[in-house]
Amino acid sequence: MENNNAPTHAAEPHQKIDPRNFDDILAVVASIKEQVGEETACAELGIICGSGLGPIGDAVEEATILPYGKIPGFPATHVVGHKGNMIFGKLGGKKVVCLQGRFHPYEHNMDLALCTLPVRVMHQLGIKIMIVSNAAGGINTVLRHGDLMLIKDHIFLPALAGFSPLVGCNDPRFGARFVSVHDAYDKQLRQLAIEVGRKSNMTLYEGVYVMSGGPQYESPAEVSLFKTVGADALGMSTCHEVTVARQCGIKVLGFSLITNIANLDCDASVEVSHEEVLDIAEQAGQRASLFVSDIIKELNI
Ligand SMILES: O=P(O)(O)O[C@@H]1C[C@H](O)[C@@H](CO)O1
């Protein structure tokens, strides 16, 4: 999709931004360019680090860091493990913009347009490919703590109940009103990830990610429901970002880092906690981040 919308004015730091307003997005982009410089701000690859892939942000070379607090319209991130920085620089020879921290719908009253503002901003910064990651509970019994699952498709549960970032009037400059997500997770990018995984002895599962609204973890009966409908791992993010990326033509590669095993038995005393999620994410995140960096080196953008 062509991206030739030249921003006219920069938003003021505390200006109110409407994430559904295309001109407001351009004003946010102009503010970012004003702060870090036009050349630095332009990127070909966007990365959203979920819990676990934060080390990727730390590996960015020639990094320029812009805290979310300085970006008009960006709310604060409240979830531990999400630093709240937009990082510009180079990774694997590519110009990247990396989001160390995401906006979860449960933090922002299910305002999915607000939570996907960074994706629309990254699109205007020029990205063609987006890599997304999340921490997730494993449903498929082959999955173990610390495993990496390549996302091949998703079940965007909130959207099925009307909570989609695309709800509301649509400015055609964002993309089509009706968006096809049959190929949300790009097949060629998935094949590349599998090849790189083979070369680096990284066990990589391919599966379906289901997003629930959160922030409560799922009951055993809910896990059982998700298993029945074909989900392999479950979490509380990602699908809204991927949906908006597809609307504006960005190709997506997605990973779930399995931080816990979702419990199907209400008589078993298995308690999941965000501390456990962060603990496993920290243990496995470094290796997962190195693997994703290896994929980036091989990307043809
Ligand atoms: O941003 P992600 O999806 O990695 O964060 C996961 C989902 C919840 O926000 C939280 C639960 O522990 O971690």
Side-chain angles (χ1 to χ4, degrees), residues 50-51 79 82 102 104 106 134-135 209 217 236-237 274 277:
S51 326
V79 180
H82 291 256
R102 62 153 50 94
H104 301 89
Y106 62 76
N134 55 57
Y209 172 83
Y217 293 107
M236 305 174 193
S237 68
H274 190 54
V277 168

Side-chain angles (χ1 to χ4, degrees), residues 242-263:
V242 172
T243 302
V244 164
R246 293 308 298 139
Q247 187 193 34
C248 57
I250 299 168
K251 290 182 180 174
V252 176
L253 179 64
F255 296 98
S256 292
L257 185 61
I258 306 301
T259 50
N260 55 289
I261 303 303
N263 175 33

Side-chain angles (χ1 to χ4, degrees), residues 175-245:
R177 161 85 286 183
F178 300 103
V179 177
S180 177
V181 285
H182 69 282
D183 59 352
Y185 300 86
D186 189 79
K187 195 168 177 192
Q188 283 181 346
L189 292 177
R190 284 190 282 127
Q191 273 164 352
L192 176 68
I194 290 167
E195 271 164 39
V196 174
R198 239 181 244 132
K199 281 186 205 149
S200 52
N201 279 332
M202 180 87 184
T203 311
L204 198 58
Y205 299 95
E206 234 187 337
V208 174
Y209 172 83
V210 59
M211 173 189 180
S212 71
Q216 70 287 341
Y217 293 107
E218 300 70 20
S219 71
E222 287 162 351
V223 175
S224 175
L225 169 75
F226 295 147
K227 189 180 169 113
T228 309
V229 296
D232 297 293
L234 60 94
M236 305 174 193
S237 68
T238 304
C239 301
H240 54 306
E241 298 153 349
V242 172
T243 302
V244 164

Side-chain angles (χ1 to χ4, degrees), residues 79-124:
V79 180
V80 179
H82 291 256
K83 286 188 185 168
N85 288 323
M86 189 176 249
I87 305 176
F88 302 89
K90 285 203 158 174
L91 204 55
K94 313 287 180 309
K95 284 201 75 184
V96 301
V97 51
C98 181
L99 299 180
Q100 248 181 351
R102 62 153 50 94
F103 306 129
H104 301 89
Y106 62 76
E107 294 176 85
H108 301 288
N109 300 320
M110 296 307 281
D111 184 343
L112 285 108
L114 174 63
C115 293
T116 48
L117 169 65
V119 178
R120 287 181 164 156
V121 165
M122 290 197 295
H123 176 238
Q124 291 303 324

